[in-house]
Amino acid sequence: QPIDGKSDQNSFLITVGHAFETITAPHDLIYLLENDYLHAPGWLSALFGLYADRPDTEYVSLYDHKDKYFLPMYEGLQSRIVLGADRHWRTAPSTCGSFVFQRKQLDQDRDVLLSGQPDYRLFQTLVAARGRTLLTPLPGLSTHAMAGYTSPGVDWAGQAARTEV
């Protein structure tokens, strides 16, 4: 059923609360997804492959943030590269409001996820303060549909007509 949160932040908080109430198995995946993302074919099997290979993965964004490559604030960014089932993943300091995690992570970080912080600050708290790991794929498996910020290395215009997972 639709959520009418009246704002991105309220919708996010309502959705996290709903996930907390309805998803009970510790390893079930929760995907919080904003309404302006496009996914590459095979994204779901790549995500499942990552969690199969690395079941303790904490947070995943399927978006390889283009801003991490050109904004001055990321000039000294260092990432660790990890190998998943079929691709490389890198650690990232933050992501937008679209990300994946397991129910057990929700139990550990519920206070932060429900804190009402904007996405960048939310991940500053999770990654920098709590030491959580956020992985993003290389190349990206999704893109934020914001002009100038599409995930690099993928022909997103060619993907726009595809709907399969």
Side-chain angles (χ1 to χ4, degrees):
Q1 94 187 20
I3 295 172
D4 186 11
K6 305 287 188 223
S7 72
D8 289 345
Q9 183 181 42
N10 285 341
S11 296
F12 180 87
L13 295 172
I14 291 167
T15 304
V16 171
H18 181 69
F20 188 79
E21 293 171 5
T22 59
I23 298 170
T24 58
H27 296 288
D28 279 357
L29 296 180
I30 300 164
Y31 189 6
L32 301 178
L33 180 60
E34 296 168 300
N35 66 352
D36 57 349
Y37 275 71
L38 179 66
H39 290 75
W43 69 269
L44 190 57
S45 60
L47 179 64
F48 286 162
L50 173 65
Y51 275 98
D53 284 353
R54 299 177 171 277
D56 290 330
T57 297
E58 293 168 323
Y59 292 95
V60 175
S61 171
L62 299 174
Y63 174 40
D64 181 23
H65 293 251
K66 188 173 184 177
D67 60 325
K68 303 291 190 282
Y69 297 96
F70 70 84
L71 286 182
M73 68 186 282
Y74 295 116
E75 217 168 83
L77 177 65
Q78 293 185 8
S79 296
R80 195 176 85 241
I81 305 296
V82 298
L83 182 60
D86 65 349
R87 70 185 55 248
H88 290 90
W89 299 78
R90 77 172 186 168
T91 58
S94 63
T95 190
C96 297
S98 295
F99 56 95
V100 180
F101 55 99
Q102 296 179 69
R103 167 56 199 240
K104 67 179 185 170
Q105 206 64 52
L106 175 58
D107 292 337
Q108 293 174 18
D109 296 327
R110 181 180 182 200
D111 61 325
V112 177
L113 293 167
L114 289 174
S115 67
Q117 297 178 74
D119 48 27
Y120 179 78
R121 293 214 185 275
L122 179 89
F123 277 94
Q124 281 185 317
T125 302
L126 292 170
V127 174
R130 289 217 171 151
R132 304 297 190 231
T133 300
L134 168 65
L135 296 177
T136 62
L138 298 171
L141 291 165
S142 75
T143 191
H144 196 283
M146 182 185 289
Y149 287 89
T150 55
S151 187
V154 178
D155 174 17
W156 292 106
Q159 299 296 330
R162 296 181 178 225
T163 58
E164 75 262 15
V165 275

